Amino acid sequence: MTTVKNIYDYINSIAPFKQQEEWDNAGFLTGDFRKEVKKAVLCLDVTKEVAAYAADMDADLILSHHPVIFSGLKKIEKGSAVYTCIEKDIAVISAHTNFDLAECGINYNLAKRIQLNNIRQISGSFLTVGELDCEMSMDDFAQFVSDTLHVSGLRYTDTDKPIKTIAVGGGACEEYTDIAFENADCFVTGDMKYHQMLNWAEQGCAVISAGHYETEHDSFIMLMDKLKDIFTDVEFMSAQQKNPVLAV
């Protein structure tokens, strides 16, 4: 029998919760540690729709990247994600910055998704770095990232420099851009503000802002393969979540 705690302990073994950032709220957030898990749903965000889906699937556990409770709650309204999870006795474990930092976490998976080789972590940051099989132009590489990650409205800086070594930081990692360029020709991240991209464009640096959801969703869902191999008595499923922030 697999319990919520068994799955928590496994995640803790590959992405220790104690390594999360001070401002984060990753960990076991709702439910009963001792509850048996027969069905578990993986998602990026525990939205109302995801909680309802988990309830419809009779799931015992939701595994999310972004915490369902991020800061102090002042009220819990009927129909909210937290309310539904409590009402339906659905436990929630969120693996956020601890999974960002893990060797097998978000950024390793993102690097694999864009087909990098020799993947390694950059010490002192959230970033991972790897190499393409062969050099590409910035235009070609940006198009490849857009197609591979299924991005609508990808943004990138214009440069004639050939692209070979790539640093990746899914989600919001723009504060590590200096470190990225100490280790790579190009930085692929999720969110970067316009003025930050303008600054790097002025310096001829290659930056791709591919979207928070696009860089993290499938990179988190890849955790499912490891879970299926270990907890063979549990049915793991994706919430089939779509990006709620649309672009054309």
Side-chain angles (χ1 to χ4, degrees):
M1 180 181 82
T2 296
T3 66
V4 172
K5 188 176 187 303
N6 292 148
I7 294 176
Y8 174 92
D9 288 343
Y10 170 71
I11 295 173
N12 192 48
S13 73
I14 63 170
F17 288 101
K18 68 180 181 181
Q19 292 183 0
Q20 67 181 286
E21 295 289 281
E22 290 184 4
W23 49 262
D24 198 6
N25 193 41
F28 170 63
L29 300 182
T30 73
D32 182 353
F33 241 2
R34 300 163 298 179
K35 183 179 181 181
E36 181 180 4
V37 179
K38 295 181 179 178
K39 294 183 180 180
V41 172
L42 276 73
C43 64
L44 181 64
D45 300 286
V46 188
T47 61
K48 293 188 292 184
E49 291 75 15
V50 168
Y53 174 83
D56 288 344
M57 294 294 103
D58 197 26
D60 307 293
L61 173 66
I62 294 174
L63 290 168
S64 71
H65 183 47
H66 296 142
V68 67
I69 302 171
F70 209 102
S71 55
L73 288 176
K74 296 187 181 295
K75 60 181 178 179
I76 299 175
E77 296 185 83
K78 186 173 183 178
S80 68
V82 174
Y83 185 99
T84 299
C85 290
I86 294 172
E87 180 186 36
K88 300 299 183 181
D89 192 23
I90 302 170
V92 177
I93 297 171
S94 299
H96 190 210
T97 53
N98 60 308
F99 195 63
D100 289 329
L101 289 165
E103 289 186 5
C104 59
I106 286 287
N107 293 318
Y108 176 85
N109 290 343
L110 177 57
K112 294 293 288 185
R113 290 171 65 198
I114 59 173
Q115 300 178 23
L116 301 185
N117 304 309
N118 302 318
I119 300 168
R120 56 204 182 274
Q121 289 185 298
I122 301 176
S123 177
S125 77
F126 281 87
L127 307 185
T128 295
V129 66
E131 288 89 35
L132 296 168
D133 283 333
C134 56
E135 288 185 350
M136 299 178 71
S137 70
M138 185 58 170
D139 288 340
D140 287 345
F141 181 59
Q143 186 63 58
F144 169 76
V145 171
S146 181
D147 293 343
T148 303
L149 303 185
H150 309 292
V151 181
S152 297
L154 178 143
R155 298 180 299 129
Y156 69 100
T157 59
D158 186 22
T159 177
D160 293 329
K161 293 179 180 178
I163 306 302
K164 174 71 172 179
T165 306
I166 315 297
V168 300
C173 282
E174 70 177 15
E175 66 265 38
Y176 298 105
T177 311
D178 285 317
I179 297 173
F181 287 126
E182 290 171 4
N183 292 272
D185 306 315
C186 178
F187 182 34
V188 178
T189 188
D191 297 326
M192 185 174 287
K193 299 182 184 70
Y194 167 79
H195 287 288
Q196 287 289 332
M197 293 194 72
L198 176 61
N199 173 60
W200 292 111
E202 290 282 284
Q203 299 180 55
C205 295
V207 177
I208 295 177
S209 182
H212 203 120
Y213 175 93
E214 290 84 354
T215 54
E216 290 197 326
H217 179 271
D218 287 0
S219 303
F220 183 74
I221 300 301
M222 288 167 71
L223 174 61
M224 189 186 302
D225 292 336
K226 296 184 188 307
L227 294 167
K228 284 181 175 179
D229 287 342
I230 294 169
F231 302 103
T232 56
D233 58 333
V234 178
E235 180 183 353
F236 292 96
M237 64 195 83
S238 168
Q240 305 299 319
Q241 191 171 27
K242 295 182 180 180
N243 189 349
V245 181
L246 302 179
V248 294

